[in-house]
Amino acid sequence: AVYEGLLANRQLAVSYQRRYDKTAADYTLNPLAIVQRGAVIYLVATRADSAEKIRLFALHRFVSAEMSKTAAAVPAGFTIDGYLESGALGFGQGESVKLVALFEAKAGEHLYECRLSEDQQLTEQEDGRLRVEATVRNTAQLLWWLRGFGKTVEVVEPVLPL
């Protein structure tokens, strides 16, 4: 029902179990998009009682969902790209910085297909490493992502607490 409501641009009548509540809450949602962060899939939506505040609802927390016949209300100017660039899901908040990093070839291979930014530049180095230069947001998510590469990445700039 959640996916159908999103595709049909219809409101959803849901029962949602919040993480710290013992009982599920009932909402009418305006679905806007589906996003995935790590292993968790989220519905990006507004509640009908506060249609301008965009919220995330983890799909695994829905107890029930039913698509209504009422058209979903989309906030003026909403785009999923704009929402994510604004800092949603921890990927866009923070100041813009120029990231310069050297990845071992296998560790950086995915950057050919999954660009970090529009201005990303990749250069293969004589030592076999891949140099990436990209303007990114200096966020906790960036730090977490870089730390995940361990010794297979060397961050040249900016100075980050790796």
Side-chain angles (χ1 to χ4, degrees), residues 2-155:
V2 171
Y3 286 96
E4 287 178 14
L6 175 63
L7 292 173
N9 194 38
R10 302 277 185 212
Q11 286 186 334
L12 299 168
V14 305
S15 181
Y16 186 77
Q17 182 68 51
R18 292 183 298 211
R19 187 176 195 180
Y20 299 108
D21 287 347
K22 293 182 181 185
T23 58
D26 294 328
Y27 301 119
T28 300
L29 300 181
N30 297 297
L32 302 171
I34 295 285
V35 295
Q36 182 172 351
R37 179 178 183 198
V40 181
I41 299 172
Y42 294 94
L43 173 68
V44 179
T46 62
R47 291 189 348 209
D49 62 346
S50 58
E52 291 302 315
K53 184 175 182 184
I54 299 169
R55 304 167 191 258
L56 296 174
F57 296 88
L59 283 190
H60 66 275
R61 296 196 179 281
F62 284 95
V63 176
S64 66
E66 185 177 323
M67 183 175 67
S68 80
K69 294 182 180 181
T70 305
V74 178
F78 174 83
T79 66
I80 189 60
D81 289 338
Y83 176 65
L84 294 173
E85 288 172 10
S86 75
L89 300 168
F91 287 99
Q93 296 173 340
E95 66 179 298
S96 290
V97 294
K98 178 80 167 202
L99 174 68
V100 179
L102 297 166
F103 286 83
E104 288 186 13
K106 291 271 186 205
E109 195 171 74
H110 69 286
L111 295 171
Y112 285 104
E113 295 178 2
C114 301
R115 299 176 63 82
L116 296 176
S117 67
E118 290 295 319
D119 69 348
Q120 175 181 297
Q121 295 179 1
L122 299 175
T123 311
E124 294 179 15
Q125 304 294 288
E126 289 182 18
D127 64 2
R129 294 188 295 173
L130 183 64
R131 179 183 175 101
V132 61
E133 296 182 34
T135 303
V136 296
R137 299 281 184 160
N138 190 359
T139 65
Q141 185 69 27
L142 173 66
L143 187 58
W144 173 85
W145 179 74
L146 288 167
R147 283 181 176 159
F149 289 100
K151 295 182 182 205
T152 64
V153 66
E154 174 190 344
V155 177

